[in-house]
Amino acid sequence: MFVHLLLAGSLAASDVPLARTAAPAQPCSAPYLVDEQLPNGARWRLCWEMRTIEGLTVGRVAYTPPGHKQVGVLRSGALAQIHVPYDSGEPRYHDIGSLGSAAVALTEADCPGGERRGQYACVLTRARGHAYLKDGYGDPAERRSAQGRELVVLSAYQVGWYTYIAEWIFGDDGSITPRVGATGSLAGTTTAPKHGWPIGVGRKHFEESHSHNIFWRMDFDIGGKARDVVEQYDFSGNRTKKRSLIRTPLLRETKALNRRMRWWRVVDPRVRNADGHAVSWEINNSDSAEYRGPSDEAFTHSDLYVTQYRACERLATMNPLPKCRDSVDAYAGKERVTDPVLWVNVGFHHVARDEDADPMPVHWQGFRVTPRDVTAHNPAASAGPS
């Protein structure tokens, strides 16, 4: 893995941030427009581009539940850094800086049953497992079951020894799952036993353990950029029989940690579903290994950052744009947030094993964005009135 930096002043045309105006009826055209209706009637509409700095970027993401009106979700979403510190203390890689130049030309086998858009992007649909199963209390007339589908937009990058597969997954239940799979080859780094695991014959080669701390940047726009609010939810009552919900609006730039049962949502209080409840999108990051580095890696000290939108804040670390801070921990000051951007940090500690011998199986890490009160009923089950 290498540090990739894009020098200031060398931005490609595609690296100009998306305009902060309302999305037009047709925000982009082929091959960059994805407009897919899944079998249950759910529809996703979005644009994609391959940007020099972040690689695959999705934008103007909108979701239409079956039988409902379209609702906005993301103005843009992209990878913001892959930080790879090794357990012995060195090296400490930052794998994003010019990710677009590391994109892998995809083959038909890399995009099974899908459509390759140019050389570097794949759009496909695939099964996601059970959407629901209801026995109906033994009444055959009430028994219901369905399999779900999902839309996937993906790309891949060769960064040193690793091949990273980046996916944006859009479910027919309205969920969004950004994730990255690391595959390719192990680095072949030999270390002391306390920093690694024996790989190969005998106990001579100890492959060094390391972390993959992956950051995503998401600019939410539910009903426009002006009214979105970020809220944090916790539950008191540990070791008691009762639990109480605690809602904390994050009205200023914030650094937040994962906690048991803690989650966040982005809500537009003026956009309501048929029950009169405010439409929101929930973020859950409970699967992170929660790596915490030294003081000069303060960007690893939080699991979620909320910042006010600034066009120059592109990467979570090693930010290459001039007249802008270097890392996400510095972005999150105390400014009042009127147009929130969320940065999600998901860690994975890779302790190699014999099964990782070349080619290395994919290990995935990511998080889930779930619709909360976007519809008044299960959108995967049946279409309802707008």
Side-chain angles (χ1 to χ4, degrees), residues 134-145:
K134 179 180 178 181
D135 181 60
Y137 304 101
D139 182 352
E142 293 295 324
R143 195 183 196 287
R144 303 174 68 188
S145 177

Side-chain angles (χ1 to χ4, degrees), residues 217-228:
R217 177 189 182 277
M218 296 187 300
D219 180 2
F220 281 85
D221 278 358
I222 297 175
K225 67 184 181 65
R227 299 186 300 267
D228 291 345

Side-chain angles (χ1 to χ4, degrees), residues 322-342:
K323 299 181 181 180
C324 198
R325 293 181 176 90
D326 183 66
S327 58
V328 67
D329 54 300
Y331 305 159
K334 297 296 182 181
E335 183 177 346
R336 186 171 180 84
V337 174
T338 59
D339 185 7
V341 173
L342 274 66

Side-chain angles (χ1 to χ4, degrees), residues 165-179:
I165 305 170
E167 292 188 341
W168 286 87
I169 304 170
F170 304 93
D172 60 4
D173 58 350
S175 63
I176 302 176
T177 305
R179 68 175 190 168

Side-chain angles (χ1 to χ4, degrees), residues 52-76:
T52 303
I53 295 177
E54 302 97 330
L56 178 68
T57 301
V58 296
R60 298 185 176 96
V61 178
Y63 166 59
T64 305
H68 290 68
K69 295 179 181 179
Q70 178 178 285
V71 60
V73 189
L74 293 174
R75 187 68 190 186
S76 67

Side-chain angles (χ1 to χ4, degrees), residues 106-186:
L106 301 175
T107 68
E108 185 176 349
D110 303 324
C111 189
E115 178 187 1
R116 284 174 289 165
R117 303 286 183 94
Q119 296 186 74
Y120 303 116
C122 166
V123 178
L124 58 86
T125 63
R126 65 190 181 197
R128 68 173 181 88
H130 277 92
Y132 56 84
L133 193 160
K134 179 180 178 181
D135 181 60
Y137 304 101
D139 182 352
E142 293 295 324
R143 195 183 196 287
R144 303 174 68 188
S145 177
Q147 295 293 308
R149 299 286 295 181
E150 59 191 17
L151 166 70
V152 184
V153 183
L154 68 88
S155 60
Y157 311 93
Q158 189 64 40
V159 185
W161 310 280
Y162 275 92
T163 306
Y164 292 115
I165 305 170
E167 292 188 341
W168 286 87
I169 304 170
F170 304 93
D172 60 4
D173 58 350
S175 63
I176 302 176
T177 305
R179 68 175 190 168
V180 168
T183 179
S185 301
L186 292 170

